[in-house]
Amino acid sequence: MNMSVDICGVHLKNPVTVASGTFGSGMEYDEFFDISKLGAVTTKGVANVPWPGNPTPRIAETAGGMMNAIGLQNPGIDTFIERDLVFLEKKDTKVIVNVCGHSEAEYIEVVERLADETGVDLLEINVSCPNVKEGGIAFGVDPSALFHITSEIKKKAKQPVIMKLSPNVTDITEMARAAVSGGADALSLINTLTGMKIDINRRCFAIKNTTGGLSGPAVKPVALRMVYQVCHAVDVPVIGMGGIASAEDALEFIMAGATCVAVGTANFHDPYTTVKVIDGIEDFMKKNNISDLSEIRKCL
C-alpha cells in the first residue's frame, strides 16, 4: 500500500502536512509526537526581518472555527535559519518554508537567502500579504500582481515554488491560472476567509484589527469547492487545506484532486490531529483495497 506522493519532484512519505501559522516550525508539536511522521512540515511565515504582528486581542473563537489577525508575527529569516531550520534538518520529513513580505523586494530577499539551504525542499509563497506599494491590497487578489510576483520569485528561487492562493476573490480559477502562467510549480489553497466578530457586551470588535481570517470546519465546504475548481483548471500539484480535521475530510480533498492536504486550525484543538489523519487514510485504503492514492485522486 503506497501512501507516498510526489510534489514537484519532492517525494513525501504521505500526503499530510500542516497549514502555515498553525504549527510554528514544529518544535512545540514535536513534544507530543515525532513530527518525522508527517509527509512535510510547513513553517510559519518567514520574513526578511522580524515582524511584531498586530496588536492584541488578535484571536477570537467563532461557531465552527476561529478568526485570527496575528499579522504574521515571526522572528525573521536570520533566526529561522540559525534555529528553526537546524531543528528541522534533524527530522525525517520534508520542509516547506512559507515566505511572506510587504513588497517584491522583501519576498526576493527571503527567497535568495533560502536558495542554497539544503534543508529547504519547497517554498510556499503567502500572497495574502498587503502590497505596501499598491495601497495595502494583497498580492493574491489581483491576477496581474500575482502573475508578476510569481514570475519574479521564480527567477530567484532554486526550490520549487508553491503559490498560496487567497479565497477572497471572485474567481479562484483566474488566480490559479495567473500563478501558473507566472511559473508556479504548485498551488496551495485556501488561505483564510476575511471575517468579523463583535463583542456585544463591551460594544467593540472582538479583534483589535477589526477583521480577521476565518478558518476551521466552517470554511471547509468553500475550500473543497475551490480546490476542486482549481484542480480542474490547471495542471500542477495542489495542496488542499481549509477545515481539515479528520481522515474523511482529507480524503474529500484528495478525491477533489489535491495531491497533498494540510491540517491547520484542528492542530490547536488536538495536537495529534495530523497523526490521526495519516492513520485514518491508511485504514481507509486497507478497508477499500486501495493500493495507491492515485486510484482515488481526482476521481470526481
Side-chain angles (χ1 to χ4, degrees), residues 61-230:
E61 188 174 354
T62 66
M66 63 174 282
M67 289 196 309
N68 89 85
I70 302 299
L72 292 166
Q73 178 181 341
N74 73 94
I77 184 67
D78 290 335
T79 299
F80 174 76
I81 291 175
E82 295 166 7
R83 182 192 67 191
D84 298 349
L85 194 53
V86 169
F87 164 78
L88 288 169
E89 286 178 327
K90 298 174 183 177
K91 296 296 176 179
D92 180 24
T93 185
K94 302 303 180 182
V95 176
I96 304 172
V97 179
N98 183 279
V99 178
C100 54
H102 290 126
S103 67
E104 178 184 311
E106 291 183 8
Y107 280 103
I108 295 299
E109 183 177 346
V110 177
V111 169
E112 289 183 325
R113 289 286 304 279
L114 294 173
D116 295 320
E117 294 292 341
T118 56
V120 178
D121 298 290
L122 297 149
L123 301 177
E124 181 183 60
I125 312 300
N126 181 359
V127 289
S128 295
C129 301
N131 185 347
V132 293
K133 292 187 177 180
E134 298 295 336
I137 298 174
F139 289 91
V141 299
D142 179 344
S144 60
L146 179 56
F147 170 85
H148 178 76
I149 193 69
T150 304
S151 59
E152 292 304 307
I153 287 172
K154 278 295 293 178
K155 292 175 184 178
K156 303 294 183 180
K158 291 186 179 179
Q159 297 92 346
V161 172
I162 306 164
M163 300 304 288
K164 185 171 185 177
L165 303 184
S166 168
N168 301 305
V169 296
T170 302
D171 183 356
I172 193 68
T173 62
E174 180 182 17
M175 308 311 298
R177 292 189 181 97
V180 172
S181 295
D185 299 293
L187 302 173
S188 63
L189 65 152
I190 60 173
N191 209 322
T192 55
L193 288 157
T194 304
M196 177 186 290
K197 183 175 182 179
I198 294 173
D199 186 326
I200 61 171
N201 295 308
R202 294 190 297 151
R203 300 183 188 182
C204 66
F205 296 109
I207 289 178
K208 186 73 172 179
N209 199 52
T210 304
T211 60
L214 176 66
S215 63
V219 310
K220 183 193 151 196
V222 176
L224 187 63
R225 183 261 297 177
M226 289 189 170
V227 166
Y228 174 82
Q229 289 177 311
V230 167

